[in-house]
Amino acid sequence: MSPLSFFFEVLIGGLLSGVMYTLVALGFVLIFKASGVFNFAQGAMVLFAALNFVGFTELGLPWWTALMVTLAAMVVLAMAIERAVLRPLLGQDHMIVFMATIGLSIFIEGLAQLIWGTDVRGLNLGLPEDPIFIGDILVSRADLMTAAVAALLVLGLSLFFTLTRIGRALRAVAEDTQAAQVAGVPLGMIWAVVWSAAGVIALVAGLVWGARLGVQFALTLVALKALPVMLLGGFNSIPGAIVAGLLIGASEKLAEVYIGPYVGGGIENWFPYALAVAVLVFRPTGLFGSTGVARV
Amino acid sequence: MERPADTVADSAGRGVSAVAEPLLAVNAIEVVYSRQAMVLHSLSLSVPRHGIVALLGANGAGKTTTMKAISGLLRSERGEITKGTIQYDGQRIDRLDASRMAARGISLVMEGRHAFGGLSVEDNLRVGAFTRRDGAAAVAETLDMIFSYFPRLKERRRSHAGLLSGGEQQMCVIARALMARPRMILLDEPSMGLAPQLVEDIFGIIARLNREEGVTFLLAEQNAAVALRFATHGYLVENGRVIRDGLAAELASAPEIKASYLGFADEGMAGFTERKRWLT
Ligand SMILES: Nc1ncnc2c1ncn2[C@@H]1O[C@H](COP(=O)(O)OP(=O)(O)OP(=O)(O)O)[C@@H](O)[C@H]1O
Ligand SMILES: [Mg+2]
């Protein structure tokens, strides 16, 4: 295998693993964009979704039924959060809402384990294990399918945001909450929709990460993978989350392979943060983060 | 000191023409922010059907607070109406959520424009129609009607609202409010930061909307000279209290207005540039 092919193999493998970072980051970005709140509970939602799916399949439901029931559970969870946490805190400082999401994450983790127990469960999505060759480059088919699902998810979300009445209202709330309210957009409904969408993303993230790591408490920690992605891509940019996720995935794998041997390996854990910080020095709002198009 | 309700109603009714029931009646409201800062003290005003009423006052007088109290926005700013009531079309609205007002027929155009910068002009307008249930055809008809008032917006319907000029943005948010087919528009400082000719244009459109579409307006303005030229009635607010009200023509020559230099500093438009004096 030529050095160039090897480079591309590492690059493509990295890009595909970057898709998984993007998946986690998208949930954060969506909520941050719509309400300015950093949702600490996103990792807990990933665990909750994955545990529900595995739990329902273990009860004997066919996978698509389990998927639908879990989706419904995520929507119910979103509506409950809107009612019990967000609505009472309307108008409070974002820091207070952030603190509330810390409490929320502990609650969701507890609830998930109360219902389904604390055992580590395996999750087999039945994705093909054997890689395929593209030219002389080896690519994981499971990763390719994950990327395809993620792409469909992003496409679906962006169509929803641009073409539907609710999607348009949601962008309006993200731009200017009060002005959207006086135009007749009910905040509670929009938040429930946004948190449901974040729940759907958490479900997809929970499935792909759960299949890789096993469905267990540590799944909440995949949230840590999203942090450098958001630092790099900006907290309120969906394209930013996509590009930054891919960038981090690719560069950390390349760094692992090409720099790792000189520093004794283990680069993957800190490299994304180093990259994000390096970029922030030059662009404090991240690659895509902005304060919005504004001219006064 | 609280005034008894009947004297309040009396003071609100003074100077207002003989229309039996006003479209909007603010009855002796008291507004407190963050449980400590009282900003409005027993403020009353009434807006007759199809009228244009000007709410005048210097910086910090309480105009915006009054507008927010009417439109239900106080809650999201940790403000509260602690006394008094607000009635619209004979029904109390002071406990309603801000997002319920549009469906009732009241639209607020906030101070400082607040266009959705990242949305196209047309999407801005479509958000304005969020609460309508009368179908796409009716909404398209309203859109056409609005474009006939604001031809400039039609030309720029595909641009991001954030890239419009200040005047175009002001038109965009007024147009957005109109999309809900409101009976009443609350307009907070439409003249802010606009060149005199543009202010004239915008007030001209307000007058036409009032005449041709029957829209009732409550306008908060520092620029009293212009506002009173187009309004039927006016209220002068100082430190959260109405200190004078009456027919616009009478108010324009009232000593309180002259004394407060609200847009009359050097007669007419020159006062516009003098506004910042009131910051000190
Ligand atoms: N969210 C808030 N919390 C506390 N105080 C506030 C708040 N908003 C306004 N105020 C205070 O209420 C008073 C009235 O403000 P308001 O914005 O209603 O005045 P205004 O007449 O609209 O002035 P301007 O012409 O400058 O817009 C001011 O003293 C202001 O500092
Ligand atoms: Mg104001």
Side-chain angles (χ1 to χ4, degrees), chain B residues 87-125:
Chain B
Q87 282 180 316
Y88 171 78
D89 206 12
Q91 289 181 317
R92 274 187 71 168
I93 56 165
D94 42 288
R95 298 267 172 268
L96 279 189
D97 189 77
S99 63
R100 308 280 296 278
M101 297 296 175
R104 292 266 186 139
I106 309 177
S107 287
L108 169 70
V109 176
M110 295 169 75
E111 178 178 343
R113 300 198 263 275
H114 296 265
F116 303 126
L119 273 62
S120 70
V121 169
E122 186 166 335
D123 276 352
N124 264 269
L125 301 192

Side-chain angles (χ1 to χ4, degrees), chain B residues 12-30:
Chain B
R14 182 157 33 94
V16 173
S17 62
V19 179
E21 186 192 55
L23 184 57
L24 179 81
V26 174
N27 307 310
I29 56 166
E30 193 174 278

Side-chain angles (χ1 to χ4, degrees), chain B residues 184-228:
Chain B
M184 171 164 204
I185 294 185
L186 312 172
L187 205 50
D188 198 350
E189 302 230 26
S191 78
M192 186 194 254
L194 300 185
Q197 185 51 50
L198 215 48
V199 174
E200 283 298 313
D201 292 349
I202 284 185
F203 272 88
I205 292 173
I206 292 168
R208 272 184 61 204
L209 285 166
N210 174 256
R211 209 167 49 233
E212 297 164 9
E213 311 289 331
V215 183
T216 303
F217 283 93
L218 176 62
L219 310 165
E221 261 300 338
Q222 293 196 22
N223 194 337
V226 177
L228 287 176

Side-chain angles (χ1 to χ4, degrees), chain A residues 88-259:
Chain A
L89 292 179
L90 173 66
Q92 298 288 346
D93 198 76
H94 287 159
M95 188 46 98
I96 293 175
V97 185
F98 169 67
M99 304 290 258
T101 68
I102 296 181
L104 188 63
S105 75
I106 296 168
F107 174 80
I108 294 175
E109 286 159 13
L111 180 70
Q113 294 181 337
L114 188 72
I115 300 175
W116 301 110
T118 53
D119 297 342
V120 179
R121 291 145 194 259
L123 170 59
N124 185 2
L125 297 175
L127 294 180
E129 313 240 317
D130 50 320
I132 51 167
F133 277 99
I134 300 177
D136 60 348
I137 298 171
L138 207 56
V139 181
S140 151
R141 285 208 297 179
D143 282 357
L144 273 183
M145 289 180 71
T146 305
V149 169
L152 279 179
L153 185 70
V154 169
L155 185 69
L157 283 174
S158 47
L159 288 180
F160 172 69
F161 288 142
T162 45
L163 298 184
T164 67
R165 169 172 159 274
I166 303 271
R168 207 159 33 215
L170 204 147
R171 283 188 293 144
V173 169
E175 292 267 339
D176 193 321
T177 309
Q178 287 195 333
Q181 269 182 294
V182 294
V185 179
L187 278 193
M189 184 247 261
I190 293 298
W191 283 340
V193 170
V194 170
W195 281 68
S196 298
V200 172
I201 294 171
L203 173 58
V204 177
L207 293 185
V208 295
W209 280 97
R212 190 165 290 202
L213 306 176
V215 177
Q216 52 172 324
F217 185 76
L219 217 46
T220 59
L221 300 180
V222 302
L224 291 182
K225 294 281 187 190
L227 200 57
V229 174
M230 283 181 290
L231 287 173
L232 195 59
F235 277 69
N236 53 9
S237 167
I238 288 174
I242 295 169
V243 173
L246 297 178
L247 201 64
I248 283 185
S251 58
E252 80 176 7
K253 286 289 186 300
L254 289 172
E256 185 71 43
V257 168
Y258 290 103
I259 308 176

Side-chain angles (χ1 to χ4, degrees), chain B residues 32-34 37-40 56-68 74 77-79 111 188-189 192 220-222 237 240 275-276 279:
Chain B
V32 177
Y33 280 117
S34 308
M38 193 189 291
V39 170
L40 299 186
L56 309 169
N59 281 121
K63 305 182 295 296
T64 297
T65 302
T66 307
M67 299 296 223
K68 287 189 169 167
L74 283 180
E77 304 219 338
R78 309 219 287 135
E111 178 178 343
D188 198 350
E189 302 230 26
M192 186 194 254
E221 261 300 338
Q222 293 196 22
V237 183
R275 282 170 51 166
K276 288 302 167 208
L279 285 169

